[in-house]
Amino acid sequence: GQQVMQIPQYQHVQEGEDFTTYCNSSTTLSNIQWYKQRPGGHPVFLIQLVKSGEVKKQKRLTFQFGEAKKNSSLHITATQTTDVGTYFCAGRGNDYKLSFGAGTTVTVRA
Amino acid sequence: EAGVTQFPSHSVIEKGQTVTLRCDPISGHDNLYWYRRVMGKEIKFLLHFVKESKQDESGMPNNRFLAERTGGTYSTLKVQPAELEDSGVYFCASRTSGSTDTQYFGPGTRLTVL
């Protein structure tokens, strides 16, 4: 079945620095979604990418979908303490079932 | 608009006991999903309801898990008998029908089996 790998599992970032988390699927995806889970919270939808090579920005967050629609990345610039949490990518195959990555847990050093 | 709600928020039971988790989706959302996250692992799909029908239950671990959605509103997930490996956070998510893929997650139920 479809598998989604996400790296790194943990990311310790100095406040103000940039970082990127990567997501790779074993199969071509219909779309990919990104979710953020704050400590003690639940996953909250951030964005969905559908088109090959698509790039979307949300303030300091930049999301990319690969040309082959098998990989994606999330880049955060000038990390802030509010960015703390676990970021999940979730790939959708030919049905509405989402396959989640294991998440990247981000901590920020002030 | 109220979000997805789940009950209970935490449950601690002993191996062999039965636990029933409940999910109330956002009103009007026909699609309801159950997921489970074991500590440090991915959020794993369990099953998908469209209204009261099971659309996909390929993620259910075994026959100790029973999900229902009578009337197409709230859903329950029963684990009987519970085993140690069933521990984790069980999330419910709902989605409208149509072209949108956005799923709205509930706060989760943290299940601990001792």
Side-chain angles (χ1 to χ4, degrees):
Chain A
Q2 180 179 295
Q3 289 187 324
V4 173
M5 305 298 292
Q6 191 172 351
I7 57 169
Q9 186 174 2
Y10 298 98
Q11 183 79 57
H12 307 290
V13 189
Q14 179 71 41
E15 190 174 17
E17 290 186 341
D18 304 349
F19 76 90
T20 304
T21 174
Y22 300 90
C23 191
N24 290 287
S25 170
S26 58
T27 59
T28 301
L29 301 170
S30 298
N31 64 53
I32 195 157
Q33 302 176 28
W34 285 88
Y35 292 77
K36 177 182 178 181
Q37 182 176 3
R38 294 182 184 276
H42 59 277
V44 175
F45 175 82
L46 293 178
I47 208 161
Q48 176 177 289
L49 304 171
V50 179
K51 299 176 183 177
S52 170
E54 189 170 12
V55 178
K56 288 187 177 180
K57 291 189 176 184
Q58 289 181 349
K59 298 182 180 179
R60 296 177 294 101
L61 278 62
T62 301
F63 303 84
Q64 289 189 313
F65 201 8
E67 294 290 339
K69 300 184 72 173
K70 295 180 71 173
N71 56 71
S72 181
S73 65
L74 160 58
H75 181 78
I76 299 182
T77 59
T79 303
Q80 300 177 359
T81 56
T82 53
D83 296 325
V84 165
T86 300
Y87 294 83
F88 293 95
C89 62
R92 188 201 132 187
N94 294 325
D95 53 30
Y96 279 98
K97 184 167 61 179
L98 293 179
S99 295
F100 282 81
T104 294
T105 298
V106 177
T107 54
V108 179
R109 298 189 300 273
Chain B
E1 178 184 85
V4 177
T5 58
Q6 291 185 246
F7 181 84
S9 58
H10 294 83
S11 181
V12 181
I13 61 173
E14 293 188 349
K15 176 182 173 181
Q17 289 186 321
T18 298
V19 63
T20 300
L21 314 181
R22 173 171 170 145
C23 168
D24 285 78
I26 293 173
S27 178
H29 282 196
D30 289 339
N31 295 273
L32 187 149
Y33 303 81
W34 283 99
Y35 295 91
R36 176 173 70 179
R37 188 180 189 213
V38 175
M39 179 73 76
K41 305 272 187 179
E42 73 275 17
I43 298 172
K44 193 170 181 182
F45 168 84
L46 295 178
L47 88 159
H48 171 204
F49 282 101
V50 177
K51 296 185 180 179
E52 67 275 11
S53 299
K54 292 176 184 175
Q55 182 78 9
D56 182 348
E57 52 184 328
S58 61
M60 294 287 264
N62 50 60
N63 59 11
R64 294 186 294 102
F65 288 74
L66 176 63
E68 295 180 322
R69 193 183 182 195
T70 306
T73 55
Y74 72 91
S75 175
T76 57
L77 179 64
K78 180 191 286 188
V79 185
Q80 179 182 28
E83 298 289 343
L84 299 179
E85 64 264 27
D86 301 332
S87 295
V89 180
Y90 290 77
F91 289 106
C92 173
S94 71
R95 176 179 68 83
T96 61
S97 295
S99 60
T100 178
D101 280 348
T102 303
Q103 296 187 20
Y104 297 87
F105 278 74
T109 293
R110 182 175 295 278
L111 175 64
T112 303
V113 182
L114 303 176

